[in-house]
Amino acid sequence: MSLDQQHAEVRRRDINFQMQSDIPVHWLNRECHRTRFYDAMSIMFPEGERAFIDSVAHYRSRIPADSPLGRDVAGFIGQEALHTREHRRYNARLEAAGAPVARLEKIVADQRKFANRHLSPRVRLAITICLEHYTAMFADQLLSHPKALSGAESRMHKLWRWHAVEEAEHKSVAFDVFKVAVPNPLLRYGSRCLSMLLVSTIFSAMIWYFTYQLVKSDGRLSDWRGWGRLLREQFVSPGFLLRLIPQWLSWFVPGFHPGWHDNRALVKAASKEYDDWVHAQSSSGKTGGA
Ligand SMILES: [Fe+2]
Ligand SMILES: [Fe+2]
């Protein structure tokens, strides 16, 4: 099997995670700052994942629907659409609890509008593959370190692991579409490296700005212990952000492919509970819609 084919089957799992108001505001071990880091990502997802879908779907006509990549593209769009739906519900719960969600979502929506107006489909897809590399790296961390979510409210625990499983499953799809969109290897290499530098700068600034704004809305900006716990988790032990560096650097190796980091066994083990869940829901005639 070639490296290009080293990814799991891309399968949508229609699950309603019941994002309701009884979920505690600080759902991660009752810790404000650590919770808000995840909430910041959730706020970026609906608009961000719509942009991912659009940028990949733009090239769909160039990929036969019955080819392996054509099937993966359909799976990718199906998975991201469901992520968008569940994170909209998640974010509505945050908004109802007083977080400045609309204001922060507007920042992402404005960026999407700017990209649609001023950037070519090829550049938009280059941005997508960089952000998909980030979601794949985060997913790998979350699945490799189950302690990251210990103490999480059970629905949130399930939702974040479900999203991680599916991000890991479809991590190669946009990248493989990019190869179709930009056949010249030199142009492809140059544009994906440049895009990664730009995307990394903007994405890092946004995630910390959003976390800051959410913590501010909780009136906890001067809670240094909370900040200390979050920074320790991200940069010291287990150091999630620090651990991303080798995978981030591998992006710049000529010929890189997301399948180089083979975590299929981990993803398959983690996906089992969701496959069982979907099977049980479909047997009882329930789906996650509405
Ligand atoms: Fe997603
Ligand atoms: Fe994704």
Side-chain angles (χ1 to χ4, degrees), residues 118-217:
H118 301 290
L119 304 180
S120 70
R122 213 166 54 186
V123 173
R124 293 203 296 270
L125 186 57
I127 293 170
T128 292
I129 64 170
C130 296
L131 287 165
E132 280 287 295
H133 190 51
Y134 270 99
T135 56
M137 291 191 293
F138 283 134
D140 187 58
Q141 290 294 315
L142 214 63
L143 297 176
S144 308
H145 300 276
K147 274 191 171 175
L149 291 173
S150 70
E153 194 278 340
S154 65
R155 284 161 284 181
M156 302 301 270
H157 187 275
K158 286 192 174 87
L159 176 138
W160 279 104
R161 279 180 62 82
W162 163 79
H163 200 159
V165 162
E166 297 197 345
E167 288 303 320
E169 282 177 346
H170 72 227
K171 67 181 178 181
S172 301
V173 179
F175 193 94
D176 290 339
V177 172
F178 188 61
K179 282 173 137 179
V180 174
V182 188
N184 181 320
L186 211 60
L187 187 61
R188 203 164 60 229
Y189 177 71
S191 53
R192 75 173 169 79
C193 289
L194 270 177
S195 302
M196 182 54 96
L197 295 174
L198 180 75
V199 162
S200 296
T201 308
I202 296 174
F203 178 65
S204 308
M206 281 177 70
I207 197 159
W208 288 107
Y209 176 72
F210 281 28
T211 305
Y212 172 88
Q213 289 297 330
L214 292 170
V215 171
K216 188 179 173 191
S217 74

Side-chain angles (χ1 to χ4, degrees), residues 12-164:
R12 72 199 276 281
R13 300 171 182 85
D14 187 353
I15 301 173
N16 180 342
F17 288 89
Q18 310 290 339
M19 291 287 111
Q20 284 149 5
S21 56
D22 60 316
I23 294 174
V25 171
H26 299 141
W27 54 267
L28 181 53
N29 208 29
R30 303 204 173 274
E31 292 180 55
C32 165
H33 300 66
R34 288 180 62 224
T35 296
R36 291 317 201 175
F37 186 79
Y38 284 91
D39 291 346
M41 277 194 276
S42 180
I43 289 173
M44 293 182 201
F45 282 139
E47 283 291 331
E49 295 192 310
R50 284 309 312 172
F52 299 171
I53 291 171
D54 292 347
S55 65
V56 167
H58 181 85
Y59 291 98
R60 226 172 166 180
S61 60
R62 297 195 196 173
I63 302 160
D66 58 354
S67 65
L69 183 55
R71 283 192 288 275
D72 282 352
V73 165
F76 171 88
I77 291 172
Q79 287 187 338
E80 295 290 29
L82 289 173
H83 300 170
T84 299
R85 184 191 74 193
E86 287 306 303
H87 280 277
R88 281 206 192 286
R89 291 171 174 170
Y90 180 138
N91 298 345
R93 182 189 64 80
L94 295 181
E95 174 105 65
V101 174
R103 181 162 60 83
L104 297 177
E105 277 186 336
K106 187 176 180 304
I107 295 172
V108 191
D110 287 347
Q111 288 178 341
R112 187 175 157 215
K113 269 186 216 150
F114 177 89
N116 285 341
R117 239 178 250 151
H118 301 290
L119 304 180
S120 70
R122 213 166 54 186
V123 173
R124 293 203 296 270
L125 186 57
I127 293 170
T128 292
I129 64 170
C130 296
L131 287 165
E132 280 287 295
H133 190 51
Y134 270 99
T135 56
M137 291 191 293
F138 283 134
D140 187 58
Q141 290 294 315
L142 214 63
L143 297 176
S144 308
H145 300 276
K147 274 191 171 175
L149 291 173
S150 70
E153 194 278 340
S154 65
R155 284 161 284 181
M156 302 301 270
H157 187 275
K158 286 192 174 87
L159 176 138
W160 279 104
R161 279 180 62 82
W162 163 79
H163 200 159

Side-chain angles (χ1 to χ4, degrees), residues 213-273:
Q213 289 297 330
L214 292 170
V215 171
K216 188 179 173 191
S217 74
D218 289 333
R220 300 281 290 274
L221 280 182
S222 56
D223 174 359
W224 298 110
R225 281 188 168 205
W227 285 116
R229 277 195 295 271
L230 172 61
L231 293 174
R232 183 170 187 276
E233 179 181 49
Q234 295 300 330
F235 294 105
V236 183
S237 174
F240 292 128
L241 290 179
L242 220 56
R243 283 169 186 263
L244 301 185
I245 291 173
Q247 278 191 60
W248 186 83
L249 285 174
S250 68
W251 182 266
F252 297 93
V253 177
F256 166 84
H257 186 270
W260 281 9
H261 183 69
D262 184 4
N263 58 355
R264 282 172 297 167
L266 179 73
V267 175
K268 195 165 182 226
S271 69
K272 192 178 175 313
E273 71 172 289

